[in-house]
Coordinates of all heavy atoms in Angstrom, one line a residue:
M13 N -182.8 7.6 -92.2 CA -182.9 8.8 -93.0 C -181.9 9.8 -92.4 O -181.7 9.9 -91.2 CB -184.3 9.4 -92.9 CG -184.5 10.6 -93.8 SD -184.6 12.3 -93.0 CE -185.0 12.1 -91.3
Y14 N -181.1 10.4 -93.2 CA -180.1 11.4 -92.8 C -180.2 12.6 -93.7 O -180.4 12.6 -94.9 CB -178.7 10.8 -92.9 CG -177.6 11.8 -92.6 CD1 -177.3 12.0 -91.2 CD2 -177.0 12.5 -93.5 CE1 -176.3 13.0 -90.9 CE2 -176.0 13.4 -93.2 CZ -175.7 13.6 -91.9 OH -174.7 14.6 -91.5
A15 N -180.2 13.8 -93.0 CA -180.2 15.1 -93.8 C -179.3 16.1 -93.0 O -179.3 16.1 -91.8 CB -181.6 15.6 -93.9
S16 N -178.6 16.9 -93.8 CA -177.8 18.0 -93.2 C -177.7 19.1 -94.1 O -177.9 19.0 -95.3 CB -176.4 17.4 -92.8 OG -175.7 17.2 -93.9
I17 N -177.4 20.3 -93.5 CA -177.1 21.5 -94.3 C -175.7 22.0 -94.0 O -175.4 22.1 -92.8 CB -178.1 22.6 -94.0 CG1 -179.5 22.2 -94.5 CG2 -177.7 23.9 -94.7 CD1 -180.6 23.2 -94.2
L18 N -174.9 22.2 -95.0 CA -173.6 22.8 -94.9 C -173.6 24.1 -95.7 O -174.1 24.2 -96.8 CB -172.5 21.9 -95.4 CG -172.4 20.5 -94.7 CD1 -171.4 19.7 -95.5 CD2 -171.9 20.7 -93.3
I19 N -173.0 25.1 -95.1 CA -172.9 26.5 -95.8 C -171.4 26.7 -96.1 O -170.6 26.5 -95.3 CB -173.4 27.6 -94.8 CG1 -174.7 27.3 -94.2 CG2 -173.3 28.9 -95.5 CD1 -175.8 27.2 -95.3
P20 N -171.1 27.0 -97.4 CA -169.8 27.3 -97.8 C -169.2 28.4 -96.9 O -169.8 29.4 -96.6 CB -169.8 27.8 -99.2 CG -171.2 27.3 -99.7 CD -172.1 27.2 -98.5
K21 N -167.9 28.2 -96.5 CA -167.3 29.3 -95.6 C -166.8 30.4 -96.6 O -165.7 30.4 -97.1 CB -166.1 28.7 -94.9 CG -165.4 29.6 -93.9 CD -164.3 29.0 -93.2 CE -163.7 30.1 -92.3 NZ -162.5 29.6 -91.6
I22 N -167.8 31.3 -96.8 CA -167.6 32.5 -97.6 C -168.0 33.7 -96.9 O -169.0 33.7 -96.1 CB -168.5 32.4 -98.9 CG1 -168.1 31.1 -99.7 CG2 -168.3 33.6 -99.8 CD1 -169.0 30.9 -100.9
S23 N -167.2 34.8 -97.0 CA -167.5 36.0 -96.3 C -168.9 36.5 -96.7 O -169.3 36.4 -97.8 CB -166.5 37.1 -96.8 OG -166.8 38.3 -96.2
G24 N -169.6 36.8 -95.7 CA -171.0 37.3 -95.8 C -172.0 36.2 -95.4 O -173.2 36.5 -95.3
L25 N -171.6 35.0 -95.3 CA -172.5 33.9 -95.0 C -172.3 33.4 -93.5 O -172.9 32.4 -93.2 CB -172.3 32.7 -95.9 CG -172.7 32.9 -97.4 CD1 -172.5 31.6 -98.2 CD2 -174.1 33.4 -97.5
E26 N -171.6 34.1 -92.7 CA -171.3 33.7 -91.4 C -172.6 33.5 -90.5 O -172.6 32.6 -89.7 CB -170.4 34.7 -90.6 CG -169.1 34.9 -91.2 CD -169.0 35.9 -92.3 OE1 -170.0 36.5 -92.8 OE2 -167.9 36.2 -92.8
E27 N -173.6 34.3 -90.8 CA -174.8 34.2 -90.0 C -176.0 33.7 -90.8 O -177.2 33.9 -90.5 CB -175.1 35.5 -89.3 CG -174.1 35.8 -88.2 CD -174.4 37.0 -87.4 OE1 -175.6 37.4 -87.3 OE2 -173.5 37.6 -86.8
Y28 N -175.7 33.1 -92.0 CA -176.8 32.6 -92.9 C -177.5 31.4 -92.1 O -176.8 30.5 -91.7 CB -176.3 32.2 -94.2 CG -177.3 31.7 -95.2 CD1 -178.4 32.4 -95.6 CD2 -177.2 30.4 -95.6 CE1 -179.3 31.9 -96.4 CE2 -178.2 29.9 -96.5 CZ -179.2 30.6 -96.9 OH -180.2 30.1 -97.7
S29 N -178.8 31.5 -92.0 CA -179.5 30.5 -91.3 C -180.7 29.9 -92.0 O -181.8 30.4 -91.9 CB -180.0 31.1 -90.0 OG -180.7 30.2 -89.2
P30 N -180.5 28.9 -92.9 CA -181.6 28.4 -93.7 C -182.5 27.5 -92.8 O -182.0 27.0 -91.7 CB -180.9 27.5 -94.7 CG -179.6 27.1 -94.1 CD -179.2 28.3 -93.2
S31 N -183.7 27.2 -93.2 CA -184.6 26.3 -92.5 C -184.5 25.0 -93.3 O -184.5 24.9 -94.5 CB -186.0 26.8 -92.5 OG -186.0 28.0 -91.7
L32 N -184.6 23.9 -92.6 CA -184.7 22.5 -93.2 C -186.1 22.0 -92.9 O -186.6 22.0 -91.8 CB -183.7 21.6 -92.5 CG -183.7 20.1 -93.0 CD1 -183.3 20.0 -94.5 CD2 -182.7 19.4 -92.2
I33 N -186.8 21.7 -94.0 CA -188.2 21.2 -93.8 C -188.3 19.8 -94.4 O -187.9 19.6 -95.6 CB -189.2 22.1 -94.6 CG1 -189.1 23.5 -94.0 CG2 -190.6 21.6 -94.5 CD1 -190.0 24.5 -94.6
L34 N -188.7 18.9 -93.6 CA -188.9 17.5 -94.0 C -190.4 17.2 -94.2 O -191.2 17.4 -93.3 CB -188.4 16.6 -92.8 CG -188.4 15.1 -93.0 CD1 -187.6 14.7 -94.2 CD2 -188.0 14.4 -91.8
V35 N -190.7 16.8 -95.4 CA -192.1 16.6 -95.8 C -192.2 15.1 -96.3 O -191.5 14.6 -97.0 CB -192.5 17.5 -97.0 CG1 -193.9 17.3 -97.4 CG2 -192.3 18.9 -96.6
S36 N -193.3 14.5 -95.7 CA -193.5 13.1 -96.1 C -195.0 12.8 -96.2 O -195.8 13.4 -95.4 CB -192.9 12.1 -95.2 OG -193.4 12.2 -93.9
P37 N -195.5 12.0 -97.1 CA -196.9 11.6 -97.1 C -197.2 10.7 -95.9 O -196.5 9.8 -95.5 CB -197.1 10.9 -98.4 CG -195.8 10.4 -98.7 CD -194.8 11.3 -98.1
T38 N -198.3 11.0 -95.2 CA -198.7 10.2 -94.0 C -200.0 9.4 -94.2 O -200.2 8.4 -93.6 CB -198.9 11.1 -92.8 OG1 -199.9 12.1 -93.1 CG2 -197.6 11.8 -92.4
N39 N -200.8 9.9 -95.2 CA -202.1 9.2 -95.4 C -202.5 9.4 -96.8 O -202.6 10.5 -97.3 CB -203.1 9.8 -94.4 CG -204.4 9.0 -94.4 OD1 -204.4 7.9 -94.9 ND2 -205.4 9.6 -93.8
I40 N -202.7 8.3 -97.5 CA -203.2 8.4 -98.9 C -204.6 7.8 -98.9 O -204.8 6.7 -98.4 CB -202.3 7.6 -99.8 CG1 -200.9 8.2 -99.8 CG2 -202.9 7.6 -101.2 CD1 -199.9 7.5 -100.7
Q41 N -205.6 8.6 -99.3 CA -207.0 8.2 -99.3 C -207.4 8.0 -100.8 O -207.2 8.9 -101.6 CB -207.9 9.2 -98.7 CG -207.5 9.4 -97.2 CD -208.3 10.6 -96.6 OE1 -209.0 11.3 -97.3 NE2 -208.3 10.7 -95.3
N42 N -207.9 6.9 -101.1 CA -208.5 6.6 -102.4 C -210.0 6.8 -102.4 O -210.7 6.2 -101.5 CB -208.2 5.2 -102.9 CG -206.7 5.0 -103.2 OD1 -206.1 5.9 -103.7 ND2 -206.2 3.9 -102.7
D43 N -210.5 7.6 -103.2 CA -212.0 7.7 -103.4 C -212.2 7.7 -104.9 O -211.3 7.7 -105.7 CB -212.6 8.9 -102.7 CG -212.1 10.2 -103.2 OD1 -211.8 10.3 -104.4 OD2 -212.1 11.2 -102.4
T44 N -213.5 7.6 -105.3 CA -213.8 7.4 -106.7 C -213.5 8.7 -107.5 O -213.3 8.6 -108.7 CB -215.3 7.0 -106.9 OG1 -216.1 8.0 -106.2 CG2 -215.5 5.7 -106.3
S45 N -213.5 9.9 -106.9 CA -213.4 11.1 -107.7 C -211.9 11.5 -107.8 O -211.5 12.1 -108.8 CB -214.1 12.3 -107.0 OG -213.7 12.5 -105.7
S46 N -211.1 11.3 -106.8 CA -209.7 11.7 -106.9 C -208.9 11.0 -105.8 O -209.4 10.4 -104.9 CB -209.5 13.2 -106.8 OG -209.9 13.6 -105.5
Q47 N -207.6 11.1 -105.9 CA -206.7 10.6 -104.9 C -206.2 11.8 -104.0 O -205.6 12.7 -104.5 CB -205.5 9.9 -105.5 CG -204.7 9.2 -104.5 CD -203.6 8.4 -105.1 OE1 -202.8 9.0 -105.9 NE2 -203.4 7.1 -104.8
K48 N -206.5 11.8 -102.7 CA -206.1 12.8 -101.8 C -204.9 12.4 -101.0 O -204.9 11.3 -100.4 CB -207.2 13.2 -100.9 CG -208.4 13.8 -101.7 CD -209.5 14.1 -100.7 CE -210.7 14.6 -101.4 NZ -211.8 15.0 -100.6
I49 N -203.9 13.2 -100.9 CA -202.7 12.9 -100.1 C -202.5 14.0 -99.0 O -202.5 15.2 -99.3 CB -201.4 12.9 -101.0 CG1 -201.5 11.8 -102.1 CG2 -200.2 12.6 -100.1 CD1 -200.4 11.8 -103.0
Q50 N -202.5 13.5 -97.8 CA -202.2 14.4 -96.7 C -200.7 14.4 -96.4 O -200.2 13.3 -96.3 CB -203.0 14.0 -95.4 CG -204.5 14.1 -95.7 CD -205.3 13.6 -94.5 OE1 -204.7 13.0 -93.6 NE2 -206.6 13.8 -94.4
L51 N -200.1 15.6 -96.2 CA -198.7 15.6 -96.0 C -198.4 15.9 -94.5 O -199.1 16.6 -93.8 CB -198.1 16.7 -96.8 CG -198.2 16.5 -98.3 CD1 -197.5 17.6 -99.1 CD2 -197.5 15.2 -98.7
N52 N -197.3 15.4 -94.1 CA -196.8 15.6 -92.7 C -195.5 16.4 -93.0 O -194.6 16.0 -93.7 CB -196.5 14.3 -92.0 CG -195.9 14.5 -90.6 OD1 -196.2 15.5 -90.0 ND2 -195.1 13.6 -90.2
A53 N -195.4 17.6 -92.4 CA -194.2 18.5 -92.5 C -193.6 18.9 -91.2 O -194.4 19.2 -90.2 CB -194.5 19.7 -93.3
E54 N -192.3 18.9 -91.1 CA -191.7 19.3 -89.8 C -190.5 20.2 -90.2 O -189.8 20.0 -91.1 CB -191.1 18.1 -89.1 CG -190.8 18.4 -87.7 CD -190.5 17.1 -86.9 OE1 -190.9 16.0 -87.3 OE2 -190.0 17.2 -85.7
K55 N -190.5 21.4 -89.5 CA -189.5 22.4 -89.8 C -188.4 22.4 -88.7 O -188.7 22.4 -87.5 CB -190.2 23.8 -89.8 CG -189.4 24.9 -90.2 CD -190.2 26.2 -90.3 CE -189.4 27.4 -90.8 NZ -190.3 28.6 -90.9
F56 N -187.2 22.5 -89.2 CA -186.0 22.5 -88.3 C -185.2 23.8 -88.5 O -184.6 24.0 -89.5 CB -185.1 21.3 -88.5 CG -185.8 20.0 -88.3 CD1 -186.5 19.3 -89.3 CD2 -185.8 19.4 -87.0 CE1 -187.1 18.1 -89.1 CE2 -186.5 18.2 -86.8 CZ -187.1 17.5 -87.9
L57 N -185.3 24.7 -87.5 CA -184.5 25.9 -87.6 C -183.1 25.7 -87.0 O -182.9 24.9 -86.1 CB -185.2 27.0 -86.8 CG -186.7 27.3 -87.2 CD1 -187.3 28.3 -86.3 CD2 -186.7 27.8 -88.6
Y58 N -182.2 26.5 -87.5 CA -180.8 26.4 -86.9 C -180.8 27.3 -85.6 O -181.2 28.4 -85.6 CB -179.8 27.0 -87.9 CG -178.4 27.0 -87.3 CD1 -177.7 25.8 -87.0 CD2 -177.8 28.2 -86.9 CE1 -176.5 25.8 -86.4 CE2 -176.5 28.2 -86.4 CZ -175.9 27.0 -86.1 OH -174.6 27.0 -85.5
E59 N -180.4 26.7 -84.5 CA -180.5 27.3 -83.2 C -179.1 27.4 -82.5 O -179.0 27.6 -81.3 CB -181.5 26.7 -82.3 CG -182.9 26.7 -82.9 CD -183.9 25.9 -82.0 OE1 -183.5 25.2 -81.1 OE2 -185.1 26.1 -82.3
G60 N -178.0 27.2 -83.3 CA -176.7 27.2 -82.7 C -176.0 28.6 -82.8 O -176.6 29.6 -83.1
D61 N -174.7 28.6 -82.5 CA -173.9 29.8 -82.5 C -173.5 30.1 -83.9 O -173.4 29.3 -84.8 CB -172.7 29.6 -81.6 CG -173.1 29.4 -80.1 OD1 -174.1 30.0 -79.7 OD2 -172.4 28.7 -79.4
F62 N -173.1 31.4 -84.1 CA -172.5 31.8 -85.3 C -171.1 32.3 -85.1 O -170.9 33.0 -84.1 CB -173.4 33.0 -85.9 CG -174.7 32.5 -86.4 CD1 -175.8 32.8 -85.6 CD2 -174.9 31.8 -87.6 CE1 -177.1 32.4 -86.1 CE2 -176.1 31.4 -88.0 CZ -177.2 31.7 -87.2
P63 N -170.1 32.1 -86.0 CA -170.2 31.1 -87.0 C -170.2 29.7 -86.3 O -169.7 29.6 -85.2 CB -169.0 31.3 -87.9 CG -168.0 32.0 -87.0 CD -168.8 32.8 -86.0
S64 N -170.8 28.7 -87.0 CA -170.9 27.4 -86.4 C -169.6 26.6 -86.6 O -168.6 27.1 -87.1 CB -172.1 26.7 -87.0 OG -171.9 26.5 -88.4
V65 N -169.7 25.3 -86.2 CA -168.5 24.4 -86.3 C -168.1 24.3 -87.8 O -169.0 24.2 -88.7 CB -168.9 23.0 -85.7 CG1 -167.8 22.0 -86.0 CG2 -169.2 23.1 -84.3
E66 N -166.8 24.3 -88.0 CA -166.3 24.2 -89.4 C -166.1 22.7 -89.8 O -165.8 21.9 -89.0 CB -165.0 24.9 -89.6 CG -165.1 26.4 -89.5 CD -163.8 27.1 -89.7 OE1 -162.8 26.5 -90.2 OE2 -163.8 28.3 -89.5
F67 N -166.4 22.4 -91.1 CA -166.1 21.1 -91.6 C -165.3 21.2 -92.9 O -165.6 22.0 -93.8 CB -167.5 20.4 -91.9 CG -167.4 19.2 -92.8 CD1 -166.9 18.0 -92.2 CD2 -167.7 19.2 -94.1 CE1 -166.8 16.8 -93.0 CE2 -167.6 18.0 -94.9 CZ -167.1 16.9 -94.3
Y68 N -164.2 20.5 -92.9 CA -163.3 20.6 -94.1 C -163.6 19.3 -94.9 O -163.5 18.2 -94.4 CB -161.8 20.6 -93.7 CG -160.9 20.6 -94.9 CD1 -160.8 21.7 -95.7 CD2 -160.2 19.5 -95.2 CE1 -159.9 21.7 -96.8 CE2 -159.3 19.4 -96.3 CZ -159.2 20.5 -97.1 OH -158.4 20.5 -98.2
E69 N -163.9 19.5 -96.2 CA -164.1 18.4 -97.1 C -162.9 18.2 -97.9 O -162.6 19.0 -98.8 CB -165.3 18.7 -98.0 CG -166.0 17.4 -98.6 CD -165.2 16.9 -99.7 OE1 -164.9 17.7 -100.6 OE2 -164.9 15.7 -99.7
P70 N -162.1 17.1 -97.7 CA -160.8 17.0 -98.3 C -160.8 16.7 -99.8 O -160.0 17.1 -100.6 CB -160.1 15.8 -97.6 CG -161.2 15.1 -96.9 CD -162.3 16.1 -96.7
F71 N -161.9 16.0 -100.3 CA -161.9 15.7 -101.8 C -162.1 17.0 -102.6 O -161.4 17.2 -103.6 CB -163.1 14.7 -102.0 CG -163.2 14.3 -103.5 CD1 -162.3 13.4 -104.0 CD2 -164.1 14.8 -104.3 CE1 -162.3 13.0 -105.3 CE2 -164.2 14.5 -105.6 CZ -163.3 13.6 -106.2
G72 N -163.1 17.8 -102.2 CA -163.3 19.1 -102.9 C -162.4 20.2 -102.4 O -162.4 21.3 -102.9
Q73 N -161.7 20.0 -101.3 CA -160.9 20.9 -100.6 C -161.6 22.2 -100.3 O -161.1 23.3 -100.5 CB -159.6 21.2 -101.5 CG -158.8 20.0 -101.7 CD -157.5 20.2 -102.5 OE1 -157.3 21.3 -103.0 NE2 -156.7 19.2 -102.6
G74 N -162.8 22.1 -99.7 CA -163.6 23.2 -99.3 C -163.9 23.2 -97.8 O -164.0 22.1 -97.2
T75 N -164.1 24.3 -97.2 CA -164.5 24.4 -95.8 C -165.9 24.9 -95.7 O -166.3 25.8 -96.5 CB -163.5 25.3 -95.1 OG1 -162.2 24.8 -95.2 CG2 -163.8 25.4 -93.6
Y76 N -166.7 24.3 -94.9 CA -168.1 24.6 -94.7 C -168.4 24.9 -93.2 O -167.7 24.4 -92.3 CB -168.9 23.5 -95.2 CG -168.7 23.1 -96.6 CD1 -167.7 22.2 -97.0 CD2 -169.5 23.7 -97.6 CE1 -167.5 21.9 -98.3 CE2 -169.3 23.4 -99.0 CZ -168.3 22.5 -99.3 OH -168.1 22.2 -100.6
W77 N -169.5 25.6 -93.0 CA -170.0 25.7 -91.6 C -171.2 24.7 -91.5 O -172.0 24.6 -92.4 CB -170.6 27.1 -91.4 CG -169.5 28.1 -91.2 CD1 -168.5 28.1 -90.2 CD2 -169.3 29.3 -91.9 NE1 -167.7 29.2 -90.3 CE2 -168.1 30.0 -91.4 CE3 -169.9 29.9 -93.0 CZ2 -167.6 31.2 -91.8 CZ3 -169.4 31.1 -93.5 CH2 -168.3 31.7 -92.9
E78 N -171.3 24.0 -90.4 CA -172.3 23.1 -90.2 C -173.6 23.8 -89.7 O -173.5 24.7 -88.9 CB -171.9 22.0 -89.2 CG -170.8 21.1 -89.7 CD -170.3 20.1 -88.7 OE1 -170.8 20.1 -87.6 OE2 -169.5 19.3 -89.1
R79 N -174.7 23.4 -90.2 CA -176.0 23.9 -89.7 C -176.8 22.7 -89.2 O -176.3 21.9 -88.4 CB -176.7 24.7 -90.7 CG -176.0 26.0 -91.2 CD -175.9 27.0 -90.0 NE -175.5 28.3 -90.5 CZ -174.2 28.8 -90.4 NH1 -173.3 28.1 -89.9 NH2 -174.0 30.0 -90.8
Q80 N -178.0 22.6 -89.6 CA -178.9 21.5 -89.1 C -178.4 20.1 -89.5 O -177.8 20.0 -90.6 CB -180.3 21.6 -89.6 CG -181.0 22.9 -89.1 CD -180.8 24.0 -90.1 OE1 -179.8 24.2 -90.7 NE2 -181.9 24.8 -90.3
E81 N -178.6 19.1 -88.7 CA -178.2 17.8 -89.0 C -179.3 16.9 -88.3 O -179.5 17.0 -87.1 CB -176.8 17.4 -88.5 CG -176.4 16.0 -88.8 CD -174.9 15.8 -88.5 OE1 -174.5 16.4 -87.5 OE2 -174.3 15.0 -89.1
L82 N -179.9 16.0 -89.1 CA -181.0 15.1 -88.6 C -180.6 13.7 -89.0 O -180.1 13.4 -90.1 CB -182.3 15.4 -89.3 CG -182.8 16.8 -89.3 CD1 -184.0 17.0 -90.2 CD2 -183.1 17.2 -87.9
E83 N -180.9 12.8 -88.1 CA -180.8 11.4 -88.3 C -181.9 10.6 -87.6 O -182.2 10.9 -86.5 CB -179.4 10.8 -87.8 CG -179.1 9.4 -88.2 CD -177.7 9.0 -87.8 OE1 -176.9 9.8 -87.4 OE2 -177.5 7.8 -88.0
H84 N -182.6 9.8 -88.4 CA -183.8 9.1 -87.9 C -183.8 7.7 -88.4 O -183.6 7.5 -89.6 CB -185.1 9.9 -88.2 CG -186.3 9.2 -87.6 ND1 -186.6 9.4 -86.3 CD2 -187.3 8.5 -88.2 CE1 -187.8 8.7 -86.1 NE2 -188.1 8.2 -87.2
I85 N -184.1 6.7 -87.6 CA -184.2 5.4 -88.0 C -185.7 5.0 -88.0 O -186.3 5.1 -86.9 CB -183.4 4.4 -87.1 CG1 -181.9 4.8 -87.2 CG2 -183.6 3.0 -87.5 CD1 -181.0 4.1 -86.2
F86 N -186.2 4.5 -89.1 CA -187.6 4.1 -89.2 C -187.7 2.6 -88.9 O -186.9 1.8 -89.4 CB -188.2 4.4 -90.6 CG -188.2 5.8 -90.9 CD1 -187.3 6.4 -91.7 CD2 -189.3 6.6 -90.5 CE1 -187.3 7.8 -92.0 CE2 -189.4 7.9 -90.8 CZ -188.4 8.5 -91.5
M87 N -188.6 2.2 -88.1 CA -188.8 0.8 -87.7 C -190.0 0.3 -88.4 O -191.0 0.9 -88.5 CB -188.8 0.6 -86.2 CG -187.6 1.1 -85.5 SD -186.5 -0.3 -85.5 CE -185.1 0.5 -84.7

C-alpha cells in the first residue's frame, strides 16, 4: 500500500498541513440482527519543515510540495 500528499506550489499554501487518515476494517462480525464492522484508523500528521521538499511533475509541468508519504507491505 502506498499513499502520499502533494500540495501545489501556490502562494498561500507554503504552510498548509493536511492530515492523512488511513481507515481499514479490522473485524467483521455477523449476527442475526445486523452486520457490525469495527474500523481501524490511524492518523498521520505532517511534522516536517515549511516549505517542504519540492517535487516537479514533468508530464503536467507542475511543482508541488511533498507532505506525508506512507508505504506498507502486507504479508
Side-chain angles (χ1 to χ4, degrees):
M13 184 252 343
Y14 176 81
S16 71
I17 294 181
L18 298 173
I19 306 300
K21 185 178 178 185
I22 298 173
S23 178
L25 296 180
E26 296 88 353
E27 295 188 21
Y28 179 61
S29 180
S31 297
L32 177 63
I33 299 176
L34 181 62
V35 180
S36 64
T38 58
N39 188 13
I40 299 176
Q41 299 175 350
N42 291 317
D43 63 30
T44 56
S45 61
S46 66
Q47 187 178 51
K48 297 179 182 179
I49 300 175
Q50 296 176 348
L51 297 178
N52 180 29
E54 195 167 349
K55 185 176 185 178
F56 300 90
L57 303 175
Y58 177 69
E59 298 175 350
D61 296 328
F62 292 103
S64 59
V65 175
E66 291 183 11
F67 168 74
Y68 178 73
E69 199 286 307
F71 182 76
Q73 299 181 353
T75 303
Y76 301 88
W77 286 301
E78 296 179 354
R79 294 297 193 258
Q80 297 90 321
E81 184 174 28
L82 307 172
E83 188 171 353
H84 184 76
I85 299 172
F86 296 98
M87 299 271 175

